Amino acid sequence: MLAERWIIVALASCALACGTVAYDGQGSPGNHDPECQQTSGGDQGTADELSELLAEVLAPRICEQVTGAFIGMPGEDGHEGPAAGLDPSVGRWWIRQCRAEVVDGRLGVAIGGSGWTWLDRESTGFRVRQYLRFDAAATFSASLHVGYDARTRIATVWLRPAPGVTAQVTPQGLVRAEATGVFSSVLGGILDLTGSSASDRARAQAAEEGSTRLRDKLATGFTVTYALDSEQMDFMLGELSRGQVPERPWPTTGAAAWIVNERSAVWPGGMDVVGPIPANAGELALDVVLEEGESAALRRVCEVDLARWLDGAWNGTGGAAQPGDTVSTLNAVGQTSTLRLESRECRSFLIVTPGAAASIPVMARYRVVPVPTSPAGGGTTVALEPGTPGYGTSSTVVTPSGASAVRLEIRSASIAAQTPSGSSWDIVGGAPDPFVVVTSIPLRREIDRTQATDDSREVRIDRRLPGALRLSDFPIRFLVYDEDVTSDELIGVADVDASAVRAGTVDLVLPLRSEGQTPVATGTLRVRFTPVQ
């Protein structure tokens, strides 16, 4: 990694010495040596000569870094630009093959491997909701450009693919398409008899959509950034502006650059692979917080053992037990655990899985740094710091900002597969018909309610309340119901107090709990508070 940092800083310095330096379209260009050929400057980066030099330098090294990596697969409702770094991964692409070479001054790359991703699709009365395993391969040719922003002291390398990016995704294993209604069930049986089942069509659609999405993502290019002050190197898919860096779930704190800084969402029966953690990196600190869900387990495993286990699991020759050593079990939503990781001679990864009895997805975020970020002693638990970007729960928002009013947006809901008693939500179809009621606890009045959504456990609501909420309205209560013909059934409740009123926008992921003497987790509700300007 030190070699790659030196390359970026050295080439950025070359751009400074032999070219104009633009400040994102603002300010005046810097002076340059008249004997040096002027670079393109601005957001376009360096001239062709430096682009070709960078391609020659990185070509022999890029596959060393990429091979064996688990690239996060984004969900469908992700952000664009720097905020994409806050989005959780919903699967991984395990790069097993890589070839890089320089052709006509451009970096040509071919990569391939296996992976998995969470798939949730509904079309023409059928729904696919499962983990999909796949094989994927992609090729592209890219020019490389380097830039430097003197105000932020950020060096940037852009990889800009030429037209003609290719990508192919091939689903592996069974794709299960389930009917969402009585007519669809009958139709599905007829199609099965004719050899054209809904599952076959879902498999073909997954291959087509997966190939298109991967091709479109790769065509947006790549950005590598290096912050000279913090010595933090970062990478993301897509092109950032000069001086921008990706936003991450954990803020950069202290003098040491982080090694891992990401978020993942894992559905029951699935797993995520987080890392890598370099070999012989010395003693490390792992900060981890469970942001939603019932519980999650973390294990640390050497790369060789992980590869052997995955190959065996996919080939049907391996055991069921996961490899590696237990690091932690997360049970408290919104609490940050700071743990010590000892130095290892092998490159390693963290395996994240929901609890054995999990009925709803888990979401967690992780940060690994080479020096402790909390007082000595392993396994300590501290409150989640205010101002951390991204997700949280009502219990994590601890600092009032003094804002007098906020606007509320109810974004989405995720409902457990079964009721607290273990039965189906609905006799016909099985899934609930959820809607949300917002009430003020101190004023004892209903503030708003949403329309019900038929037969769905994953609901996109996007309801923005027309009026603002005042401090006197808090605490407010969210009640999620299952609409029924006779009487509506309460799915779960979540409360938010006035500490959610901040100077800036905040997103919360609220755990839903059933009522009664022994509340149980029944899902999650995502909401957003925006202060009134």
Side-chain angles (χ1 to χ4, degrees):
M1 185 64 72
L2 289 177
E4 282 74 15
R5 290 179 180 176
W6 178 86
I7 291 167
I8 292 177
V9 175
L11 288 173
S13 300
C14 185
L16 270 171
C18 295
T20 58
V21 179
Y23 301 106
D24 292 325
Q26 300 177 10
S28 58
N31 296 326
H32 61 276
D33 190 330
E35 296 182 0
C36 294
Q37 182 176 353
Q38 181 174 324
T39 68
S40 59
D43 287 336
Q44 297 304 309
T46 56
D48 292 341
E49 292 83 356
L50 287 180
S51 175
E52 294 175 5
L53 172 61
L54 190 55
E56 292 283 358
V57 172
L58 290 184
R61 293 176 172 84
I62 192 168
C63 285
E64 296 177 5
Q65 299 294 323
V66 171
T67 303
F70 289 81
I71 299 176
M73 305 298 291
E76 293 188 3
D77 298 324
H79 296 84
E80 298 292 336
L86 299 172
D87 294 335
S89 298
V90 300
R92 296 285 169 174
W93 184 16
W94 184 20
I95 305 300
R96 307 297 299 275
Q97 304 89 33
C98 177
R99 187 183 74 252
E101 57 185 352
V102 178
V103 180
D104 296 331
R106 289 179 174 269
L107 178 64
V109 178
I111 53 177
S114 303
W116 64 93
T117 188
W118 179 253
L119 189 65
D120 193 338
R121 292 283 192 281
E122 184 171 351
S123 177
T124 61
F126 296 93
R127 186 175 189 179
V128 177
R129 195 170 187 270
Q130 67 172 88
Y131 272 106
L132 175 70
R133 189 166 70 85
F134 62 85
D135 291 332
T139 61
F140 60 89
S141 174
S143 60
L144 292 93
H145 305 264
V146 63
Y148 176 73
D149 183 67
R151 294 176 306 172
T152 59
R153 290 173 55 80
I154 302 294
T156 305
V157 173
W158 297 282
L159 284 76
R160 296 178 175 136
V165 175
T166 66
Q168 181 66 43
V169 175
T170 305
Q172 301 294 329
L174 178 64
V175 178
R176 300 179 298 274
E178 300 177 352
T180 58
V182 176
F183 177 76
S184 300
S185 301
V186 176
L187 180 61
I190 296 174
L191 292 175
D192 284 334
L193 292 176
T194 62
S196 178
S197 68
S199 294
D200 290 338
R201 289 187 285 117
R203 182 186 182 92
Q205 184 176 358
E208 180 180 356
E209 290 188 7
S211 300
T212 300
R213 289 187 63 192
L214 180 58
R215 182 170 59 251
D216 291 345
K217 283 288 185 181
L218 293 177
T220 63
F222 308 84
T223 302
V224 182
T225 63
Y226 180 76
L228 273 67
D229 292 334
S230 63
E231 298 186 351
Q232 181 69 63
M233 177 174 282
D234 206 348
F235 166 89
M236 74 177 305
L237 191 62
E239 183 162 322
L240 300 181
S241 298
R242 178 191 298 269
Q244 284 187 324
V245 296
E247 298 179 34
R248 292 299 175 189
W250 294 88
T252 299
T253 58
W258 48 259
I259 298 171
V260 172
N261 193 340
E262 56 185 294
R263 170 183 279 120
S264 63
V266 191
W267 279 255
M271 73 169 192
D272 192 26
V273 176
V274 178
I277 301 171
N280 301 314
E283 190 175 33
L284 306 170
L286 166 65
D287 297 322
V288 58
V289 59
L290 179 66
E291 296 180 313
E292 99 179 57
E294 298 153 316
S295 65
L298 274 72
R299 302 178 67 86
R300 187 182 182 187
V301 57
C302 288
E303 181 177 18
V304 174
D305 296 331
L306 176 60
R308 184 183 302 114
W309 179 75
L310 282 175
D311 285 335
W314 288 341
N315 296 332
T317 60
Q322 291 182 350
D325 305 316
T326 299
V327 173
S328 179
T329 300
L330 310 176
N331 294 306
V333 173
Q335 294 295 313
T336 301
S337 295
T338 300
L339 309 167
R340 297 295 183 92
L341 300 176
E342 76 282 359
S343 181
R344 290 192 176 183
E345 296 182 357
C346 63
R347 189 165 81 153
S348 59
F349 293 85
L350 297 174
I351 299 178
V352 186
T353 55
S359 60
I360 59 176
V362 300
M363 186 178 296
R365 58 188 173 97
Y366 330 87
R367 175 176 59 186
V368 176
V369 291
V371 293
T373 56
S374 61
T380 59
T381 300
V382 297
L384 179 63
E385 71 275 18
T388 298
Y391 299 79
T393 68
S394 57
S395 62
T396 68
V397 184
V398 296
T399 304
S401 69
S404 61
V406 291
R407 293 199 179 276
L408 168 63
E409 180 182 353
I410 306 172
R411 307 193 67 191
S412 62
S414 177
I415 312 300
Q418 296 179 323
T419 68
S421 62
S423 60
S424 298
W425 293 105
D426 196 347
I427 298 177
V428 180
D433 306 319
F435 66 93
V436 182
V437 176
V438 184
T439 65
S440 168
I441 295 177
L443 300 182
R444 298 182 179 181
R445 66 179 180 88
E446 180 178 314
I447 298 174
D448 191 75
R449 68 171 55 204
T450 69
Q451 296 291 325
T453 302
D454 294 337
D455 298 328
S456 180
R457 289 176 46 226
E458 300 290 338
V459 187
R460 189 76 182 182
I461 302 173
D462 290 333
R463 164 68 174 167
R464 184 179 175 88
L465 272 63
L469 298 177
R470 304 292 176 179
L471 289 178
S472 58
D473 294 322
F474 288 85
I476 61 173
R477 174 163 293 170
F478 296 90
L479 302 102
V480 181
Y481 289 94
D482 175 20
E483 184 180 65
D484 287 323
V485 176
T486 54
S487 62
D488 299 330
E489 179 181 4
L490 181 65
I491 294 176
V493 179
D495 295 340
V496 176
D497 62 30
S499 63
V501 181
R502 290 191 181 185
T505 298
V506 61
D507 289 313
L508 302 180
V509 180
L510 306 175
L512 297 173
R513 302 284 178 179
S514 63
E515 291 189 320
Q517 293 184 346
T518 309
V520 299
T522 56
T524 56
L525 181 69
R526 291 179 173 84
V527 299
R528 171 176 291 172
F529 290 100
T530 304
V532 176
Q533 301 298 328

